[in-house]
Amino acid sequence: MRAKGLCLFMVGMVWGGVVVSAQQRLTQWDGVYTIAQAKRGEPLFMDKCAYCHRDEATGGQQILITPAPPLSGPGFAGRWNGRSLDQLLMTIIATMPQWEGGTLSRQEAADILAFILQDLSYPAGSVELPPDTDMLEVITFTDARIP
């Protein structure tokens, strides 16, 4: 499985019919989710995430010792800046919801991530955000749009 992902990455990955090479990385500014996917993710977010991260994704609900981190604003951007979306997806899958980490499917986590990206006002595109972490390795979260 890992070898397959490495081969795809070395030759280039197909993203919505376009081959993306390692030198031509995508960002969340490139429309990497669809509006329909974000709509699927919204009720999941409200059910599984909003209690701790708040409906507005500002975080702050006290969880054990520390408050839940924000999923918006400079706190979120600073935490994820320069990291690939596969890392964010794996964090959602492994740790969310609190006390039930590992209960979301990959597709549910990808849909929630699409909703978060839409909530942060990143543009939607014509291809869904994939639940495959190998595909998400080529998408980097950047706090500023790169021309």
Side-chain angles (χ1 to χ4, degrees):
M1 175 75 167
R2 194 71 177 153
K4 175 185 169 194
L6 184 57
C7 288
L8 285 172
F9 186 71
M10 289 174 68
V11 224
M13 301 200 62
V14 178
W15 184 265
V18 175
V19 176
V20 179
S21 70
Q23 295 80 26
Q24 180 191 8
R25 294 181 67 86
L26 297 171
T27 73
Q28 82 281 6
W29 294 98
D30 294 315
V32 295
Y33 69 92
T34 65
I35 291 172
Q37 183 179 27
K39 284 184 181 182
R40 284 196 318 263
E42 183 174 11
L44 289 167
F45 179 88
M46 292 303 171
D47 183 47
K48 305 289 186 180
C49 314
Y51 176 77
C52 297
H53 294 283
R54 307 281 190 211
D55 290 354
E56 306 81 28
T58 56
Q61 177 67 29
Q62 191 74 25
I63 304 299
L64 298 176
I65 299 171
T66 60
L71 301 178
S72 62
F76 180 80
R79 179 175 182 194
W80 294 101
N81 188 44
R83 297 171 75 181
S84 60
L85 290 190
D86 73 305
Q87 294 172 315
L88 182 49
L89 184 76
M90 288 309 298
T91 297
I92 293 169
I93 290 169
T95 64
M96 297 294 126
Q98 185 72 24
W99 299 293
E100 295 177 354
T103 60
L104 292 171
S105 71
R106 287 179 178 274
Q107 187 62 60
E108 289 172 325
D111 293 349
I112 289 169
L113 181 52
F115 171 71
I116 292 168
L117 293 174
Q118 180 184 54
D119 194 52
L120 292 168
S121 299
Y122 296 114
S126 59
V127 178
E128 287 199 357
L129 191 67
D132 183 331
T133 53
D134 287 339
M135 298 277 299
L136 293 176
E137 286 177 352
V138 299
I139 307 170
T140 303
F141 185 91
T142 59
D143 60 353
R145 185 178 284 214
I146 300 170

